[in-house]
Amino acid sequence: MSEPEAPKRWRPTRTNLVAGGTVIAGFLLIEVNWWFFLLVAAGTFGPGILRELGWLRDKDEFQRQAAHRAGYHAFLTVGLVAFLLVAFFRTGGTMEHPHRLVTFFLALLWFTWFFSSLLAYWGVQKTAARILIAFGCVWLVFTIISNLGPEWTGWAALLLHPLLAAPFFVLAWLSTRWPRVAGILLLTVSVLFFLLVFMRVFARTGGPGLINSSVTFIFFVGPLLASGVALLCTGKKSECPEDGEEVPMTRK
């Protein structure tokens, strides 16, 4: 029996580097003129358009399937939200800054595609664990910095506030061992964040205020909510496939 092929590690290709550089340049140059924001669009969608036209062939079959699946997930998510917002505006809803709605759709589209790509590439549990560790590290750094310099209130605050990051590391550990339990906890945390923070915004400013803060919701609560749903789904399946069942391919 032949040895199984070792998983390949992801390395940025020349296309990834050029596209990433174009996106970064676009964000930097919007301080000069917002038309440079089109560079962000070129870096984000350009490689995909070239691949679909057959002019760029830099992905294998696994990567193409993952990209198409992620695109379909983005279509489902953004399409559902679009129907909800059409109903909102048709029933008398208004907002003061329409450009924020476009930003919201771009953020939702990108986040859904990116998260789905990670799920296909790493697998559910590894993706959830890595996202939670990243969140925990961000919270840890934030709580430390917020207690230094002019914000210094004593050693007790510096030692206790970083403990707020501990639940993220605990959930990351749980997600690799008991995915269903971790999924339920993540969904609970997401709902609590939504009720305690964003519903207060809705009570104070109404629907337009909630839409204006929706981008913050996507990048702050979205990873926790998406990880929770994904872990619940994988928790319904056996970690050991049955005879003849195809094992989904993931990479490190």
PDB file of all heavy atoms in Angstrom, residues 136-171:
ATOM      1  N   GLY A 136      -8.225  35.850  20.460  1.00  0.00           N
ATOM      2  CA  GLY A 136      -7.675  35.919  21.809  1.00  0.00           C
ATOM      3  C   GLY A 136      -6.417  36.751  21.876  1.00  0.00           C
ATOM      4  O   GLY A 136      -6.225  37.544  22.811  1.00  0.00           O
ATOM      5  N   CYS A 137      -5.547  36.612  20.881  1.00  0.00           N
ATOM      6  CA  CYS A 137      -4.314  37.399  20.850  1.00  0.00           C
ATOM      7  C   CYS A 137      -4.607  38.891  20.682  1.00  0.00           C
ATOM      8  O   CYS A 137      -3.976  39.741  21.333  1.00  0.00           O
ATOM      9  CB  CYS A 137      -3.416  36.911  19.718  1.00  0.00           C
ATOM     10  SG  CYS A 137      -2.733  35.261  19.984  1.00  0.00           S
ATOM     11  N   VAL A 138      -5.576  39.217  19.812  1.00  0.00           N
ATOM     12  CA  VAL A 138      -5.941  40.626  19.619  1.00  0.00           C
ATOM     13  C   VAL A 138      -6.486  41.218  20.910  1.00  0.00           C
ATOM     14  O   VAL A 138      -6.114  42.330  21.317  1.00  0.00           O
ATOM     15  CB  VAL A 138      -6.967  40.759  18.475  1.00  0.00           C
ATOM     16  CG1 VAL A 138      -7.533  42.170  18.428  1.00  0.00           C
ATOM     17  CG2 VAL A 138      -6.332  40.396  17.140  1.00  0.00           C
ATOM     18  N   TRP A 139      -7.383  40.490  21.568  1.00  0.00           N
ATOM     19  CA  TRP A 139      -7.939  40.963  22.837  1.00  0.00           C
ATOM     20  C   TRP A 139      -6.848  41.108  23.890  1.00  0.00           C
ATOM     21  O   TRP A 139      -6.850  42.060  24.690  1.00  0.00           O
ATOM     22  CB  TRP A 139      -9.012  40.000  23.336  1.00  0.00           C
ATOM     23  CG  TRP A 139     -10.382  40.356  22.871  1.00  0.00           C
ATOM     24  CD1 TRP A 139     -11.071  39.802  21.844  1.00  0.00           C
ATOM     25  CD2 TRP A 139     -11.226  41.379  23.405  1.00  0.00           C
ATOM     26  NE1 TRP A 139     -12.305  40.403  21.698  1.00  0.00           N
ATOM     27  CE2 TRP A 139     -12.421  41.373  22.648  1.00  0.00           C
ATOM     28  CE3 TRP A 139     -11.097  42.292  24.443  1.00  0.00           C
ATOM     29  CZ2 TRP A 139     -13.467  42.246  22.909  1.00  0.00           C
ATOM     30  CZ3 TRP A 139     -12.145  43.160  24.698  1.00  0.00           C
ATOM     31  CH2 TRP A 139     -13.315  43.139  23.940  1.00  0.00           C
ATOM     32  N   LEU A 140      -5.907  40.166  23.919  1.00  0.00           N
ATOM     33  CA  LEU A 140      -4.832  40.209  24.905  1.00  0.00           C
ATOM     34  C   LEU A 140      -3.976  41.452  24.712  1.00  0.00           C
ATOM     35  O   LEU A 140      -3.684  42.177  25.673  1.00  0.00           O
ATOM     36  CB  LEU A 140      -3.985  38.943  24.782  1.00  0.00           C
ATOM     37  CG  LEU A 140      -2.853  38.772  25.804  1.00  0.00           C
ATOM     38  CD1 LEU A 140      -3.413  38.699  27.214  1.00  0.00           C
ATOM     39  CD2 LEU A 140      -2.038  37.524  25.477  1.00  0.00           C
ATOM     40  N   VAL A 141      -3.587  41.707  23.466  1.00  0.00           N
ATOM     41  CA  VAL A 141      -2.773  42.892  23.179  1.00  0.00           C
ATOM     42  C   VAL A 141      -3.553  44.171  23.481  1.00  0.00           C
ATOM     43  O   VAL A 141      -3.024  45.120  24.069  1.00  0.00           O
ATOM     44  CB  VAL A 141      -2.305  42.867  21.711  1.00  0.00           C
ATOM     45  CG1 VAL A 141      -1.626  44.181  21.345  1.00  0.00           C
ATOM     46  CG2 VAL A 141      -1.369  41.690  21.477  1.00  0.00           C
ATOM     47  N   PHE A 142      -4.842  44.192  23.117  1.00  0.00           N
ATOM     48  CA  PHE A 142      -5.662  45.378  23.339  1.00  0.00           C
ATOM     49  C   PHE A 142      -5.793  45.691  24.825  1.00  0.00           C
ATOM     50  O   PHE A 142      -5.669  46.858  25.250  1.00  0.00           O
ATOM     51  CB  PHE A 142      -7.047  45.171  22.721  1.00  0.00           C
ATOM     52  CG  PHE A 142      -8.020  46.266  23.032  1.00  0.00           C
ATOM     53  CD1 PHE A 142      -7.951  47.489  22.385  1.00  0.00           C
ATOM     54  CD2 PHE A 142      -9.018  46.083  23.992  1.00  0.00           C
ATOM     55  CE1 PHE A 142      -8.848  48.505  22.674  1.00  0.00           C
ATOM     56  CE2 PHE A 142      -9.917  47.091  24.294  1.00  0.00           C
ATOM     57  CZ  PHE A 142      -9.824  48.313  23.636  1.00  0.00           C
ATOM     58  N   THR A 143      -6.054  44.674  25.643  1.00  0.00           N
ATOM     59  CA  THR A 143      -6.230  44.917  27.075  1.00  0.00           C
ATOM     60  C   THR A 143      -4.929  45.357  27.732  1.00  0.00           C
ATOM     61  O   THR A 143      -4.948  46.151  28.685  1.00  0.00           O
ATOM     62  CB  THR A 143      -6.760  43.652  27.770  1.00  0.00           C
ATOM     63  OG1 THR A 143      -5.909  42.534  27.463  1.00  0.00           O
ATOM     64  CG2 THR A 143      -8.176  43.341  27.335  1.00  0.00           C
ATOM     65  N   ILE A 144      -3.804  44.860  27.232  1.00  0.00           N
ATOM     66  CA  ILE A 144      -2.524  45.285  27.805  1.00  0.00           C
ATOM     67  C   ILE A 144      -2.218  46.728  27.435  1.00  0.00           C
ATOM     68  O   ILE A 144      -1.856  47.550  28.289  1.00  0.00           O
ATOM     69  CB  ILE A 144      -1.395  44.340  27.340  1.00  0.00           C
ATOM     70  CG1 ILE A 144      -1.584  42.951  27.955  1.00  0.00           C
ATOM     71  CG2 ILE A 144      -0.028  44.915  27.717  1.00  0.00           C
ATOM     72  CD1 ILE A 144      -0.586  41.928  27.453  1.00  0.00           C
ATOM     73  N   ILE A 145      -2.381  47.053  26.143  1.00  0.00           N
ATOM     74  CA  ILE A 145      -2.090  48.419  25.688  1.00  0.00           C
ATOM     75  C   ILE A 145      -3.020  49.434  26.347  1.00  0.00           C
ATOM     76  O   ILE A 145      -2.610  50.542  26.702  1.00  0.00           O
ATOM     77  CB  ILE A 145      -2.208  48.491  24.151  1.00  0.00           C
ATOM     78  CG1 ILE A 145      -1.098  47.667  23.501  1.00  0.00           C
ATOM     79  CG2 ILE A 145      -2.137  49.942  23.667  1.00  0.00           C
ATOM     80  CD1 ILE A 145      -1.167  47.621  21.981  1.00  0.00           C
ATOM     81  N   SER A 146      -4.301  49.041  26.522  1.00  0.00           N
ATOM     82  CA  SER A 146      -5.267  49.973  27.111  1.00  0.00           C
ATOM     83  C   SER A 146      -4.999  50.243  28.586  1.00  0.00           C
ATOM     84  O   SER A 146      -5.640  51.131  29.175  1.00  0.00           O
ATOM     85  CB  SER A 146      -6.684  49.423  26.954  1.00  0.00           C
ATOM     86  OG  SER A 146      -6.834  48.206  27.657  1.00  0.00           O
ATOM     87  N   ASN A 147      -4.077  49.516  29.203  1.00  0.00           N
ATOM     88  CA  ASN A 147      -3.749  49.746  30.603  1.00  0.00           C
ATOM     89  C   ASN A 147      -2.342  50.295  30.790  1.00  0.00           C
ATOM     90  O   ASN A 147      -1.820  50.294  31.904  1.00  0.00           O
ATOM     91  CB  ASN A 147      -3.879  48.435  31.391  1.00  0.00           C
ATOM     92  CG  ASN A 147      -5.317  48.081  31.688  1.00  0.00           C
ATOM     93  OD1 ASN A 147      -5.954  48.643  32.575  1.00  0.00           O
ATOM     94  ND2 ASN A 147      -5.862  47.154  30.911  1.00  0.00           N
ATOM     95  N   LEU A 148      -1.737  50.748  29.690  1.00  0.00           N
ATOM     96  CA  LEU A 148      -0.408  51.338  29.760  1.00  0.00           C
ATOM     97  C   LEU A 148      -0.479  52.831  29.460  1.00  0.00           C
ATOM     98  O   LEU A 148      -1.472  53.333  28.942  1.00  0.00           O
ATOM     99  CB  LEU A 148       0.526  50.642  28.761  1.00  0.00           C
ATOM    100  CG  LEU A 148       0.793  49.150  28.998  1.00  0.00           C
ATOM    101  CD1 LEU A 148       1.671  48.590  27.886  1.00  0.00           C
ATOM    102  CD2 LEU A 148       1.432  48.917  30.355  1.00  0.00           C
ATOM    103  N   GLY A 149       0.593  53.541  29.760  1.00  0.00           N
ATOM    104  CA  GLY A 149       0.656  54.974  29.457  1.00  0.00           C
ATOM    105  C   GLY A 149      -0.347  55.770  30.265  1.00  0.00           C
ATOM    106  O   GLY A 149      -0.528  55.551  31.481  1.00  0.00           O
ATOM    107  N   PRO A 150      -1.053  56.706  29.600  1.00  0.00           N
ATOM    108  CA  PRO A 150      -2.010  57.554  30.318  1.00  0.00           C
ATOM    109  C   PRO A 150      -3.169  56.766  30.939  1.00  0.00           C
ATOM    110  O   PRO A 150      -3.831  57.264  31.858  1.00  0.00           O
ATOM    111  CB  PRO A 150      -2.527  58.505  29.215  1.00  0.00           C
ATOM    112  CG  PRO A 150      -1.495  58.453  28.148  1.00  0.00           C
ATOM    113  CD  PRO A 150      -0.928  57.082  28.192  1.00  0.00           C
ATOM    114  N   GLU A 151      -3.430  55.562  30.423  1.00  0.00           N
ATOM    115  CA  GLU A 151      -4.533  54.753  30.931  1.00  0.00           C
ATOM    116  C   GLU A 151      -4.148  53.920  32.150  1.00  0.00           C
ATOM    117  O   GLU A 151      -4.955  53.144  32.646  1.00  0.00           O
ATOM    118  CB  GLU A 151      -5.041  53.818  29.821  1.00  0.00           C
ATOM    119  CG  GLU A 151      -5.439  54.523  28.537  1.00  0.00           C
ATOM    120  CD  GLU A 151      -6.619  55.451  28.750  1.00  0.00           C
ATOM    121  OE1 GLU A 151      -7.448  55.165  29.638  1.00  0.00           O
ATOM    122  OE2 GLU A 151      -6.695  56.477  28.036  1.00  0.00           O
ATOM    123  N   TRP A 152      -2.926  54.053  32.632  1.00  0.00           N
ATOM    124  CA  TRP A 152      -2.441  53.228  33.735  1.00  0.00           C
ATOM    125  C   TRP A 152      -3.272  53.473  34.992  1.00  0.00           C
ATOM    126  O   TRP A 152      -3.459  54.600  35.439  1.00  0.00           O
ATOM    127  CB  TRP A 152      -0.977  53.555  34.017  1.00  0.00           C
ATOM    128  CG  TRP A 152      -0.436  52.886  35.243  1.00  0.00           C
ATOM    129  CD1 TRP A 152      -0.292  53.436  36.485  1.00  0.00           C
ATOM    130  CD2 TRP A 152       0.045  51.545  35.343  1.00  0.00           C
ATOM    131  NE1 TRP A 152       0.240  52.530  37.358  1.00  0.00           N
ATOM    132  CE2 TRP A 152       0.457  51.347  36.689  1.00  0.00           C
ATOM    133  CE3 TRP A 152       0.163  50.492  34.445  1.00  0.00           C
ATOM    134  CZ2 TRP A 152       0.985  50.146  37.141  1.00  0.00           C
ATOM    135  CZ3 TRP A 152       0.679  49.292  34.897  1.00  0.00           C
ATOM    136  CH2 TRP A 152       1.083  49.124  36.220  1.00  0.00           C
ATOM    137  N   THR A 153      -3.796  52.396  35.573  1.00  0.00           N
ATOM    138  CA  THR A 153      -4.581  52.490  36.810  1.00  0.00           C
ATOM    139  C   THR A 153      -4.039  51.578  37.899  1.00  0.00           C
ATOM    140  O   THR A 153      -4.640  51.478  38.973  1.00  0.00           O
ATOM    141  CB  THR A 153      -6.056  52.130  36.542  1.00  0.00           C
ATOM    142  OG1 THR A 153      -6.125  50.802  35.986  1.00  0.00           O
ATOM    143  CG2 THR A 153      -6.705  53.123  35.603  1.00  0.00           C
ATOM    144  N   GLY A 154      -2.950  50.884  37.619  1.00  0.00           N
ATOM    145  CA  GLY A 154      -2.358  50.022  38.630  1.00  0.00           C
ATOM    146  C   GLY A 154      -2.109  48.623  38.106  1.00  0.00           C
ATOM    147  O   GLY A 154      -2.592  48.230  37.040  1.00  0.00           O
ATOM    148  N   TRP A 155      -1.332  47.865  38.876  1.00  0.00           N
ATOM    149  CA  TRP A 155      -0.975  46.519  38.467  1.00  0.00           C
ATOM    150  C   TRP A 155      -2.166  45.567  38.462  1.00  0.00           C
ATOM    151  O   TRP A 155      -2.207  44.612  37.694  1.00  0.00           O
ATOM    152  CB  TRP A 155       0.119  45.973  39.388  1.00  0.00           C
ATOM    153  CG  TRP A 155       1.458  46.581  39.096  1.00  0.00           C
ATOM    154  CD1 TRP A 155       2.101  47.556  39.797  1.00  0.00           C
ATOM    155  CD2 TRP A 155       2.319  46.241  38.017  1.00  0.00           C
ATOM    156  NE1 TRP A 155       3.312  47.866  39.222  1.00  0.00           N
ATOM    157  CE2 TRP A 155       3.473  47.067  38.122  1.00  0.00           C
ATOM    158  CE3 TRP A 155       2.248  45.330  36.969  1.00  0.00           C
ATOM    159  CZ2 TRP A 155       4.532  46.997  37.225  1.00  0.00           C
ATOM    160  CZ3 TRP A 155       3.303  45.249  36.077  1.00  0.00           C
ATOM    161  CH2 TRP A 155       4.421  46.077  36.199  1.00  0.00           C
ATOM    162  N   ALA A 156      -3.123  45.828  39.344  1.00  0.00           N
ATOM    163  CA  ALA A 156      -4.278  44.929  39.410  1.00  0.00           C
ATOM    164  C   ALA A 156      -5.026  44.906  38.084  1.00  0.00           C
ATOM    165  O   ALA A 156      -5.387  43.840  37.567  1.00  0.00           O
ATOM    166  CB  ALA A 156      -5.215  45.364  40.543  1.00  0.00           C
ATOM    167  N   ALA A 157      -5.272  46.096  37.497  1.00  0.00           N
ATOM    168  CA  ALA A 157      -5.978  46.170  36.213  1.00  0.00           C
ATOM    169  C   ALA A 157      -5.153  45.529  35.102  1.00  0.00           C
ATOM    170  O   ALA A 157      -5.683  44.832  34.239  1.00  0.00           O
ATOM    171  CB  ALA A 157      -6.284  47.626  35.872  1.00  0.00           C
ATOM    172  N   LEU A 158      -3.830  45.755  35.133  1.00  0.00           N
ATOM    173  CA  LEU A 158      -2.975  45.187  34.090  1.00  0.00           C
ATOM    174  C   LEU A 158      -2.966  43.661  34.134  1.00  0.00           C
ATOM    175  O   LEU A 158      -2.856  43.002  33.100  1.00  0.00           O
ATOM    176  CB  LEU A 158      -1.554  45.728  34.244  1.00  0.00           C
ATOM    177  CG  LEU A 158      -0.527  45.264  33.208  1.00  0.00           C
ATOM    178  CD1 LEU A 158      -0.942  45.711  31.806  1.00  0.00           C
ATOM    179  CD2 LEU A 158       0.860  45.792  33.543  1.00  0.00           C
ATOM    180  N   LEU A 159      -3.102  43.099  35.320  1.00  0.00           N
ATOM    181  CA  LEU A 159      -3.080  41.647  35.457  1.00  0.00           C
ATOM    182  C   LEU A 159      -4.450  41.015  35.252  1.00  0.00           C
ATOM    183  O   LEU A 159      -4.549  39.881  34.769  1.00  0.00           O
ATOM    184  CB  LEU A 159      -2.541  41.261  36.847  1.00  0.00           C
ATOM    185  CG  LEU A 159      -1.076  41.638  37.116  1.00  0.00           C
ATOM    186  CD1 LEU A 159      -0.713  41.300  38.556  1.00  0.00           C
ATOM    187  CD2 LEU A 159      -0.149  40.914  36.151  1.00  0.00           C
ATOM    188  N   LEU A 160      -5.520  41.745  35.591  1.00  0.00           N
ATOM    189  CA  LEU A 160      -6.859  41.161  35.526  1.00  0.00           C
ATOM    190  C   LEU A 160      -7.527  41.348  34.165  1.00  0.00           C
ATOM    191  O   LEU A 160      -8.198  40.441  33.671  1.00  0.00           O
ATOM    192  CB  LEU A 160      -7.746  41.763  36.622  1.00  0.00           C
ATOM    193  CG  LEU A 160      -7.378  41.393  38.064  1.00  0.00           C
ATOM    194  CD1 LEU A 160      -8.272  42.126  39.049  1.00  0.00           C
ATOM    195  CD2 LEU A 160      -7.466  39.884  38.270  1.00  0.00           C
ATOM    196  N   HIS A 161      -7.364  42.508  33.550  1.00  0.00           N
ATOM    197  CA  HIS A 161      -8.043  42.770  32.280  1.00  0.00           C
ATOM    198  C   HIS A 161      -7.635  41.800  31.164  1.00  0.00           C
ATOM    199  O   HIS A 161      -8.477  41.399  30.357  1.00  0.00           O
ATOM    200  CB  HIS A 161      -7.802  44.222  31.848  1.00  0.00           C
ATOM    201  CG  HIS A 161      -8.583  45.200  32.653  1.00  0.00           C
ATOM    202  ND1 HIS A 161      -8.497  46.574  32.473  1.00  0.00           N
ATOM    203  CD2 HIS A 161      -9.477  45.027  33.660  1.00  0.00           C
ATOM    204  CE1 HIS A 161      -9.291  47.189  33.323  1.00  0.00           C
ATOM    205  NE2 HIS A 161      -9.891  46.268  34.054  1.00  0.00           N
ATOM    206  N   PRO A 162      -6.351  41.403  31.063  1.00  0.00           N
ATOM    207  CA  PRO A 162      -6.006  40.418  30.026  1.00  0.00           C
ATOM    208  C   PRO A 162      -6.712  39.084  30.176  1.00  0.00           C
ATOM    209  O   PRO A 162      -6.759  38.300  29.218  1.00  0.00           O
ATOM    210  CB  PRO A 162      -4.486  40.262  30.199  1.00  0.00           C
ATOM    211  CG  PRO A 162      -4.035  41.570  30.745  1.00  0.00           C
ATOM    212  CD  PRO A 162      -5.134  41.991  31.675  1.00  0.00           C
ATOM    213  N   LEU A 163      -7.281  38.812  31.365  1.00  0.00           N
ATOM    214  CA  LEU A 163      -8.022  37.562  31.535  1.00  0.00           C
ATOM    215  C   LEU A 163      -9.271  37.507  30.649  1.00  0.00           C
ATOM    216  O   LEU A 163      -9.837  36.438  30.434  1.00  0.00           O
ATOM    217  CB  LEU A 163      -8.424  37.387  33.005  1.00  0.00           C
ATOM    218  CG  LEU A 163      -7.265  37.171  33.992  1.00  0.00           C
ATOM    219  CD1 LEU A 163      -7.799  37.066  35.413  1.00  0.00           C
ATOM    220  CD2 LEU A 163      -6.466  35.920  33.621  1.00  0.00           C
ATOM    221  N   LEU A 164      -9.695  38.679  30.121  1.00  0.00           N
ATOM    222  CA  LEU A 164     -10.846  38.701  29.211  1.00  0.00           C
ATOM    223  C   LEU A 164     -10.550  37.906  27.934  1.00  0.00           C
ATOM    224  O   LEU A 164     -11.485  37.467  27.250  1.00  0.00           O
ATOM    225  CB  LEU A 164     -11.209  40.144  28.855  1.00  0.00           C
ATOM    226  CG  LEU A 164     -11.759  41.010  30.001  1.00  0.00           C
ATOM    227  CD1 LEU A 164     -11.885  42.460  29.545  1.00  0.00           C
ATOM    228  CD2 LEU A 164     -13.104  40.483  30.480  1.00  0.00           C
ATOM    229  N   ALA A 165      -9.268  37.740  27.614  1.00  0.00           N
ATOM    230  CA  ALA A 165      -8.900  36.979  26.416  1.00  0.00           C
ATOM    231  C   ALA A 165      -8.923  35.479  26.660  1.00  0.00           C
ATOM    232  O   ALA A 165      -8.918  34.698  25.712  1.00  0.00           O
ATOM    233  CB  ALA A 165      -7.510  37.400  25.932  1.00  0.00           C
ATOM    234  N   ALA A 166      -8.955  35.069  27.913  1.00  0.00           N
ATOM    235  CA  ALA A 166      -8.879  33.640  28.236  1.00  0.00           C
ATOM    236  C   ALA A 166     -10.003  32.812  27.610  1.00  0.00           C
ATOM    237  O   ALA A 166      -9.746  31.703  27.116  1.00  0.00           O
ATOM    238  CB  ALA A 166      -8.859  33.452  29.754  1.00  0.00           C
ATOM    239  N   PRO A 167     -11.284  33.296  27.597  1.00  0.00           N
ATOM    240  CA  PRO A 167     -12.347  32.478  27.002  1.00  0.00           C
ATOM    241  C   PRO A 167     -12.090  32.111  25.541  1.00  0.00           C
ATOM    242  O   PRO A 167     -12.487  31.024  25.102  1.00  0.00           O
ATOM    243  CB  PRO A 167     -13.586  33.370  27.137  1.00  0.00           C
ATOM    244  CG  PRO A 167     -13.300  34.233  28.315  1.00  0.00           C
ATOM    245  CD  PRO A 167     -11.834  34.501  28.242  1.00  0.00           C
ATOM    246  N   PHE A 168     -11.418  32.978  24.782  1.00  0.00           N
ATOM    247  CA  PHE A 168     -11.146  32.660  23.384  1.00  0.00           C
ATOM    248  C   PHE A 168     -10.188  31.472  23.267  1.00  0.00           C
ATOM    249  O   PHE A 168     -10.375  30.588  22.422  1.00  0.00           O
ATOM    250  CB  PHE A 168     -10.559  33.876  22.664  1.00  0.00           C
ATOM    251  CG  PHE A 168     -11.532  35.011  22.520  1.00  0.00           C
ATOM    252  CD1 PHE A 168     -11.468  36.108  23.351  1.00  0.00           C
ATOM    253  CD2 PHE A 168     -12.520  34.977  21.553  1.00  0.00           C
ATOM    254  CE1 PHE A 168     -12.368  37.156  23.218  1.00  0.00           C
ATOM    255  CE2 PHE A 168     -13.422  36.016  21.404  1.00  0.00           C
ATOM    256  CZ  PHE A 168     -13.349  37.107  22.251  1.00  0.00           C
ATOM    257  N   PHE A 169      -9.181  31.436  24.128  1.00  0.00           N
ATOM    258  CA  PHE A 169      -8.231  30.321  24.085  1.00  0.00           C
ATOM    259  C   PHE A 169      -8.887  29.027  24.585  1.00  0.00           C
ATOM    260  O   PHE A 169      -8.596  27.947  24.063  1.00  0.00           O
ATOM    261  CB  PHE A 169      -6.999  30.658  24.917  1.00  0.00           C
ATOM    262  CG  PHE A 169      -6.220  31.835  24.395  1.00  0.00           C
ATOM    263  CD1 PHE A 169      -6.224  33.047  25.070  1.00  0.00           C
ATOM    264  CD2 PHE A 169      -5.490  31.742  23.221  1.00  0.00           C
ATOM    265  CE1 PHE A 169      -5.517  34.139  24.594  1.00  0.00           C
ATOM    266  CE2 PHE A 169      -4.773  32.826  22.730  1.00  0.00           C
ATOM    267  CZ  PHE A 169      -4.789  34.028  23.420  1.00  0.00           C
ATOM    268  N   VAL A 170      -9.765  29.148  25.576  1.00  0.00           N
ATOM    269  CA  VAL A 170     -10.484  27.972  26.065  1.00  0.00           C
ATOM    270  C   VAL A 170     -11.398  27.418  24.973  1.00  0.00           C
ATOM    271  O   VAL A 170     -11.465  26.202  24.742  1.00  0.00           O
ATOM    272  CB  VAL A 170     -11.295  28.321  27.325  1.00  0.00           C
ATOM    273  CG1 VAL A 170     -12.184  27.143  27.733  1.00  0.00           C
ATOM    274  CG2 VAL A 170     -10.362  28.691  28.476  1.00  0.00           C
ATOM    275  N   LEU A 171     -12.109  28.309  24.266  1.00  0.00           N
ATOM    276  CA  LEU A 171     -12.989  27.867  23.182  1.00  0.00           C
ATOM    277  C   LEU A 171     -12.192  27.263  22.030  1.00  0.00           C
ATOM    278  O   LEU A 171     -12.654  26.323  21.377  1.00  0.00           O
ATOM    279  CB  LEU A 171     -13.831  29.045  22.689  1.00  0.00           C
ATOM    280  CG  LEU A 171     -14.962  29.484  23.628  1.00  0.00           C
ATOM    281  CD1 LEU A 171     -15.544  30.807  23.161  1.00  0.00           C
ATOM    282  CD2 LEU A 171     -16.050  28.420  23.686  1.00  0.00           C
TER     283      LEU A 171
END
